[in-house]
């Protein structure tokens, strides 16, 4: 990674500092500033981390200009077409695609960790029925630290692996329980005879009063949505998990922190906000009004599901999601879904508008996902929990990678201080 022949030279007040240039296997070179403060007594300033590499990683690579997303080198469109979610989980966790025997063993392990401690059912009952399922998930996942003490010793690689398996296995159960609780229906236990996506649909939509058969079209669409959300480099929620983990916090607390960060409408909450926006637009003749609002500097309104910090060409996940939306709605016989028509026309008009072209704003992963999820029967409040469920493998893989690096340190950024300098205390009677 470090090529001593390559350096960047920084000159401050006539003094020059040579900073090593680190060479990636793909992507831009990286200036190593770890010794900058010690050498030059200065900080760098990058509040949104637009130009900052917070770590090195071998898991996911994004080329925003080309619209490329690779997981351990495999393009997302190939994984979405040829793989399935648990195989992608194995790939993210263990560097390579599994052999048939490895995959069978991994799937058997995950399948047998899907139940949660029976006493945890009480946690759900402490929430109001109308609590957002993301609030429930943050609380219940954090509470796992109180139940799974045998996988919280992060210095033990075996405990780290068990915690990873538990998180991947139990998130669908927790998400489904949060949904069932919010609609006043009884919890449905996981079933070991169902695959991962079918199990989640069964836990969400089955009721004790009658048999529920999982529709293979929905199960395949669900699995593909899981794949498309699995990991995405150092996004806000993954960076939150890494920062929480850097203090030595247990894995369940770190994942709970990631869920909390993902909830925001600028991040994972955008899928819910996008469908609500499409419904507010309501018909194609109102699209110009909303595009004008999105362009108006004085209007805080933004097109939800549009734009991305990294992708400046197109989000490859959005392309796959759009194809999937067409497929699923057609197969479900709702191809004339008015919301889908509004979404397609909105995309077309926005991409024809110079404002969006100049600012390189394109549909992102959240633009079409809500249309599919609603067609599958999920309320908008379940869209972000499904994103969180899918991203758990990305969070836990990045958590595992960071802990496997013996040189990892606690994350502790500095600041550009603009406050008062030292001043004497004034007694209240003298103020
Ligand atoms: C996810 O990081 C990841 O990888 C995230 C994610 C993942 O898988 O983990 O990909 C998942 O979070 C996808 C993004 C979901 N969010 C949304 O769809 C919300 C709407 N989009 C945004 O708010 C925005 O585009 C962000 C947050 C996604 C990106 O913000 P940036 O990179 O900080 O860009 P910016 O806010 O600086 O915007 C640049 C310009 C601004 O105009 P100027 O100030 O330069 O004049 O573009 C404008 C913005 O006003 N702009 C938009 C817009 N997004 C940006 N204008 C209208 N509508 C939008 N959606």
């Amino acid at each position: 990674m470090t090529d001593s022949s390559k350096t960047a030279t920084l000159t401050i007040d006539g003094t020059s500092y040579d900073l090593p240039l680190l060479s990636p296997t793909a992507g831009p070179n990286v200036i190593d500033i770890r010794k900058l403060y010690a050498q030059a007594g200065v900080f760098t300033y990058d509040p949104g981390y637009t130009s900052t590499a917070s770590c090195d990683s071998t898991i996911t690579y994004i080329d925003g200009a080309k619209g490329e997303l690779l997981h351990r080198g495999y393009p997302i469109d190939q994984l979405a077409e040829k793989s399935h979610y648990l195989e992608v989980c194995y790939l993210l966790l263990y560097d390579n695609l599994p052999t048939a025997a490895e995959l069978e063993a991994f799937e058997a392990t995950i399948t047998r960790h899907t139940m949660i401690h029976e006493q945890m059912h009480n946690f759900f009952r402490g929430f109001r029925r109308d609590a957002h399922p993301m609030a429930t998930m943050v609380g219940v996942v954090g509470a796992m630290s109180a139940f799974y003490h045998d996988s919280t010793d992060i210095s033990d690689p075996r405990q780290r692996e068990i915690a990873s398996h538990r998180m991947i296995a139990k998130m669908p159960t927790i998400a489904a329980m949060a949904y069932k609780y919010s609609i006043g229906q009884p919890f449905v236990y996981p079933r070991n005879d169902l695959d991962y996506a079918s199990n989640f649909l069964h836990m969400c939509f089955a009721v004790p009063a009658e048999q529920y058969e999982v529709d293979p079209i929905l199960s395949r669409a669900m699995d593909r949505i899981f794949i498309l959300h699995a990991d995405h480099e150092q996004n806000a929620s993954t960076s939150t998990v890494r920062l929480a983990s850097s203090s030595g916090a247990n894995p369940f607390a770190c994942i709970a922190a990631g869920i909390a960060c993902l909830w925001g409408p600028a991040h994972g909450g955008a899928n819910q906000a996008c469908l609500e926006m499409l419904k507010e637009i309501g018909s194609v003749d109102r699209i110009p009004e909303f595009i004008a609002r999105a362009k108006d500097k004085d209007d805080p309104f933004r097109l939800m599901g549009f734009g991305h910090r990294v992708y400046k060409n197109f989000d490859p996940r959005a392309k796959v999601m759009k194809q999937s939306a067409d497929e699923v709605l057609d197969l479900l016989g709702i191809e004339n879904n008015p919301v889908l028509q509004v979404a397609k026309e909105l995309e077309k008009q926005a991409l024809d508008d110079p404002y969006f072209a100049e600012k390189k704003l394109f549909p992102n992963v959240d633009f079409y996902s809500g249309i599919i999820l609603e067609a599958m029967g999920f309320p908008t409040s379940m869209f972000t929990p499904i994103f969180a469920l899918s991203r758990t493998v990305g969070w836990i893989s990045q958590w595992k990678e960071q802990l496997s690096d013996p040189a990892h340190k606690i994350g502790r950024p500095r600041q550009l201080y603009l406050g008062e300098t030292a001043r004497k205390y004034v007694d209240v009677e003298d103020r």
Side-chain angles (χ1 to χ4, degrees), residues 232 266-267 297 302-303 305-306 308-309 317 364 391:
H232 213 238
H267 191 12
K297 280 279 144 243
R302 287 191 165 186
L303 287 187
F306 250 77
H308 200 277
R309 169 65 58 78
R317 302 168 297 174
N364 58 46
R391 183 54 56 87

Side-chain angles (χ1 to χ4, degrees), residues 120 141 151 223 243 250 252 286 288 293 335 340 358 384-385 419:
M120 288 191 78
V141 171
S151 59
D223 191 271
L243 197 55
N250 76 69
F252 308 113
R286 293 194 65 202
R293 284 189 56 196
E335 64 279 7
L340 180 58
E358 280 153 24
T384 309

Side-chain angles (χ1 to χ4, degrees), residues 217 322-337 340-341 344 371-372 375:
I217 297 166
K322 182 177 179 180
Q323 290 159 9
S324 191
D326 278 330
E327 220 175 273
V328 171
L329 271 65
D330 186 39
L331 287 166
L332 292 175
I334 38 179
E335 64 279 7
N336 295 322
N337 177 304
L340 180 58
Q341 304 317 321
K344 286 182 172 179
I371 294 166
I372 304 173

Side-chain angles (χ1 to χ4, degrees), residues 48 50 62 69 228-238 262 264-271 273-274 277 290-291 293-297 299-312 315 317 355-356 359-367 387 391 395:
T50 51
I62 303 172
L69 168 57
L228 293 173
H229 289 84
D231 188 51
H232 213 238
E233 198 209 73
Q234 306 311 318
N235 58 86
S237 53
T238 298
L262 185 78
H267 191 12
N271 52 18
C274 179
M277 172 193 75
F290 283 82
I291 286 183
R293 284 189 56 196
K295 292 159 61 175
D296 179 355
K297 280 279 144 243
D299 188 331
F301 173 79
R302 287 191 165 186
L303 287 187
M304 301 316 284
F306 250 77
H308 200 277
R309 169 65 58 78
V310 179
Y311 291 121
K312 299 305 175 191
D315 183 335
R317 302 168 297 174
Y355 172 90
F356 294 90
K359 293 187 184 296
K360 301 186 185 310
L361 302 173
F362 299 82
N364 58 46
V365 68
D366 294 310
F367 189 67
F387 192 151
R391 183 54 56 87
W395 290 330

Side-chain angles (χ1 to χ4, degrees), residues 240-254:
T240 301
V241 171
R242 279 184 174 261
L243 197 55
S245 163
S246 73
S247 73
N250 76 69
F252 308 113
C254 295

